[in-house]
Amino acid sequence: MNAVPSVPAAPATFDSLDAWRSRPAAQQPQWPEPAELRAALEDLAGLPPLVFAGECDLLKDRLAAVARGEAFVLQGGDCAETFLGATADGVQAKLRTLLQISVVLTYAASVPVVKIGRMAGQFAKPRTTATETRDGAMLPAYRGDAVNGLDFTPRARRPDPRRLLSAYHYSAATLNLCRAFATGGYADLRQVHAWNQDFVRQSPPGQRYEELAGEIDRALSFMRACGADPEELRAVEFYSSHEALLLEYERALTRIDSRTGLPYDVSAHFLWIGERTRALDGAHVEFARRIHNPVGVKLGPLTTPADLLALIDRLDPAREPGRLTLITRMGAKQVRDRLPPLIEAVTESGAQLVWICDPMHGNTFEAPSGHKTRRFDDVLDEVTGFFEVHRKLGTHPGGIHIEFTGDNVTECIGGSHEIAEENLHQRYETACDPRLNRSQSLDLAFLVARIYRQAR
């Protein structure tokens, strides 16, 4: 086994936090008015934190347990949040889906679940091309509500720095609602039936969920009869996450923690670097290595062991438990071939990291109707392959990273309550990539719970 390198932590100074500015920064908007951008960033820098450093440290502890094989991560939410979607009903629907998936995994797989939402900050998206053309007209690509608007008009597509402030305020509102739901009684396990009172209830996974909820009710009744009513059953820990894409925004929300003197990005508990922005000498990696949040990095099928080991040395030089999460997005057809060399290289290096499967992004295709979509069977196949590889190599499959919504959308094909290609147009509502609806999400939860039990 290779010796773990000893690399000193980056100094906690504001000068070091700006070191990324000398590196190439991919996927950044072309802001038309520098003065407007400076004004927005100054306002952001003076606003209160969205999360606290101590909460980030607690999540790091939870992820360290995952790295040791003692827990499982459920990370999920919208592909791209929208300002219009940041309503009480919209936030509640997504959180309800997260809670239902978590209950299935916790109860059916007998594993503690760390709950991380792709919520309260996922307002920016990388794009394959900088422009979009329709009917001969070319405009800037939609980069998420934090940058510009979805409508295909010159006014909407103009990058507007004031949207960064809107992203902060909508993130704050979403996070406040999530915290209220998580601790104010809605997440109480005695509410398991109430989370299923809608269209999902009559679907096959909804009916299976009702049976599981009945078992939970009986277990809780038994505990109460024995005089046990743990406080842990009445609330949940909820953590926020998003891709750290817009570096000016993330930098403006980075603070020096008064307890430790260390820098934290207080825009979210957990930040990840995308597949398009993980260049070792790039600005995103340079920024992420300086903050003390737990961070993740997306790994596509072209990732080499050398690439990965270099990223680990850069992002987690001290090999801090829970610091670094590897989010693989290989695609169903490649996961069984591409993942093993990466796991073997990490195992040989001695690093103990969290491995999470993103079965969504490697399985996207365009239907004949022109809609971007994913087959549920491909999503499940990639998760299955992820577990198979870890089981074969004796390592821990640490979690799943999925895009879902609490609404009855028709964006992904398949599932036990099947959606066909010809139905995609009926409720195709995503601002970017296709999401699992709640019925499909529960389908996946039951299947993942079964696979996890078999892998232990």
Side-chain angles (χ1 to χ4, degrees):
M1 184 176 296
N2 296 332
V4 176
S6 176
V7 180
T13 67
F14 279 106
D15 287 342
S16 70
L17 293 176
D18 286 318
W20 62 269
R21 297 183 185 280
S22 64
R23 305 293 181 92
Q27 296 288 333
Q28 301 306 289
Q30 297 299 310
W31 304 106
E33 296 293 340
E36 290 181 3
L37 177 61
R38 284 195 301 271
L41 295 176
E42 288 174 4
D43 287 345
L44 279 172
L47 290 171
L50 292 173
V51 303
F52 298 103
E55 295 173 327
C56 299
D57 290 342
L58 182 58
L59 175 57
K60 196 180 296 181
D61 290 342
R62 300 292 185 255
L63 291 172
V66 177
R68 294 192 300 268
E70 300 168 0
F72 191 81
V73 174
L74 169 61
Q75 186 177 9
D78 268 321
C79 167
E81 291 180 282
T82 63
F83 297 161
L84 289 176
T87 64
D89 287 344
V91 172
Q92 183 186 46
K94 282 184 281 189
L95 186 62
R96 179 175 56 199
T97 304
L98 192 78
L99 291 173
Q100 285 189 280
I101 299 171
S102 173
V103 162
V104 171
L105 292 171
T106 302
Y107 193 80
S110 300
V111 60
V113 174
V114 181
K115 291 164 277 292
I116 307 175
R118 280 178 63 112
M119 297 169 64
Q122 185 60 12
F123 290 111
K125 291 294 294 181
R127 306 306 308 215
T128 304
T129 58
T131 59
E132 180 181 355
T133 301
R134 297 186 193 177
D135 300 324
M138 185 173 69
L139 293 175
Y142 172 64
R143 290 185 175 274
D145 276 13
V147 177
N148 54 6
L150 184 59
D151 292 341
F152 194 75
T153 66
R155 181 177 180 180
R157 292 298 177 92
R158 177 185 182 273
D160 183 354
R162 291 172 298 182
R163 284 177 167 268
L164 297 174
L165 289 164
S166 296
Y168 170 91
H169 290 296
Y170 280 109
S171 296
T174 298
L175 193 54
N176 285 341
L177 275 171
C178 287
R179 284 173 165 150
F181 285 133
T183 61
Y186 185 76
D188 192 316
L189 268 181
R190 287 167 290 194
Q191 297 290 319
V192 285
H193 288 290
W195 301 337
N196 209 36
Q197 303 294 320
D198 57 7
F199 73 95
V200 172
R201 189 184 185 104
Q202 301 307 316
S203 68
Q207 293 167 7
R208 289 186 66 189
Y209 177 85
E210 278 298 304
E211 294 174 4
L212 181 143
E215 293 180 22
I216 292 174
D217 274 347
R218 289 188 289 275
L220 293 176
S221 296
F222 174 77
M223 292 175 65
R224 286 194 294 270
C226 294
D229 191 15
E231 186 67 29
E232 290 81 2
L233 301 181
R234 300 179 184 176
V236 298
E237 289 181 6
F238 171 83
Y239 300 99
S240 65
S241 72
H242 62 259
E243 181 177 355
L245 184 66
L246 302 179
L247 291 173
E248 294 285 10
Y249 177 84
E250 304 301 340
R251 174 62 185 86
L253 287 170
T254 300
R255 309 282 191 268
I256 301 297
D257 177 32
S258 60
R259 306 166 307 147
T260 63
L262 299 173
Y264 287 78
D265 183 345
V266 294
S267 69
H269 300 105
F270 179 91
L271 290 307
W272 76 84
I273 304 167
E275 167 73 1
R276 293 182 177 95
T277 54
R278 62 171 177 80
L280 189 65
D281 63 348
H284 290 82
V285 169
E286 180 61 31
F287 173 81
R289 69 183 287 260
R290 303 282 179 170
I291 60 174
H292 284 257
N293 306 60
V295 297
V297 59
K298 290 281 189 85
L299 305 173
L302 298 181
T303 309
T304 67
D307 292 337
L308 179 52
L309 293 177
L311 282 168
I312 293 170
D313 284 343
R314 187 65 57 87
L315 294 170
D316 185 27
R319 302 299 194 260
E320 182 183 4
R323 157 65 175 175
L324 183 58
T325 295
L326 306 177
I327 308 168
T328 63
R329 39 163 293 178
M330 302 292 176
K333 295 180 180 178
Q334 300 192 72
V335 64
R336 292 169 177 85
D337 295 326
R338 300 289 186 174
L339 184 56
L342 302 183
I343 296 176
E344 290 168 343
V346 170
T347 301
E348 177 66 20
S349 76
Q352 190 178 61
L353 309 172
V354 177
W355 290 93
I356 293 180
C357 176
D358 169 1
M360 309 295 290
H361 288 88
N363 296 305
T364 306
F365 69 98
E366 186 173 305
S369 61
H371 294 94
K372 290 170 68 177
T373 189
R374 293 153 174 161
R375 293 187 181 89
F376 179 83
D377 286 349
D378 290 339
V379 171
L380 176 60
D381 189 33
E382 180 160 359
V383 173
T384 302
F386 175 79
F387 275 84
E388 288 174 356
V389 170
H390 280 283
R391 182 169 60 243
K392 182 178 179 181
L393 296 178
T395 49
H396 179 58
I400 54 174
H401 178 123
I402 56 176
E403 294 180 345
F404 65 73
T405 175
D407 300 322
N408 190 21
V409 299
T410 55
E411 296 172 3
C412 292
I413 298 167
S416 60
H417 202 206
E418 186 167 358
I419 295 173
E421 283 191 17
E422 56 266 27
N423 303 134
L424 288 173
H425 70 281
Q426 293 178 355
R427 288 198 62 181
Y428 195 93
E429 300 174 2
T430 182
C432 193
D433 289 340
R435 305 158 296 174
L436 301 173
N437 63 29
R438 190 144 57 90
S439 177
Q440 292 168 324
S441 299
L442 283 177
D443 261 334
L444 184 64
F446 280 110
L447 293 165
V448 169
R450 186 189 69 197
I451 297 168
Y452 188 89
R453 288 197 310 269
Q454 293 171 347
R456 297 183 74 175

